[in-house]
Amino acid sequence: MKSKIPVFSISQFRDQLTMLMDVVRHQPIVISYYGKRAAVVLSHKEYQRLIANSQQ
């Protein structure tokens, strides 16, 4: 069973950026804006893996 991706408001993201950068090294996070999911932040390593898989 996959774990849920944590969701943070844009305010939480801004206020806790340093801590969340540590979290992102291990799992993606979702950023919400006005209560709606707006963006996903993931590590560069995970991004590279996704790009490589999409080009196969």
Side-chain angles (χ1 to χ4, degrees), residues 6 13-14 18 20 26 28 31 33-34 36-38 42-43 45 47 49-52 54 56:
F13 182 71
R14 182 184 58 239
T18 302
L20 290 174
H26 305 285
I31 307 302
Y33 188 64
Y34 289 104
K36 295 183 181 178
R37 292 170 186 233
L42 59 143
S43 69
K45 182 178 179 180
Y47 172 75
R49 187 187 68 76
L50 291 171
I51 294 298
S54 72
Q56 293 179 359

Side-chain angles (χ1 to χ4, degrees), residues 11-46:
S11 299
Q12 291 171 314
F13 182 71
R14 182 184 58 239
D15 294 343
Q16 300 175 32
L17 181 58
T18 302
M19 183 273 298
L20 290 174
M21 291 305 292
D22 289 333
V23 171
V24 167
R25 282 193 247 163
H26 305 285
Q27 72 178 89
I29 62 172
V30 172
I31 307 302
S32 66
Y33 188 64
Y34 289 104
K36 295 183 181 178
R37 292 170 186 233
V40 175
V41 180
L42 59 143
S43 69
H44 188 262
K45 182 178 179 180
E46 182 66 10

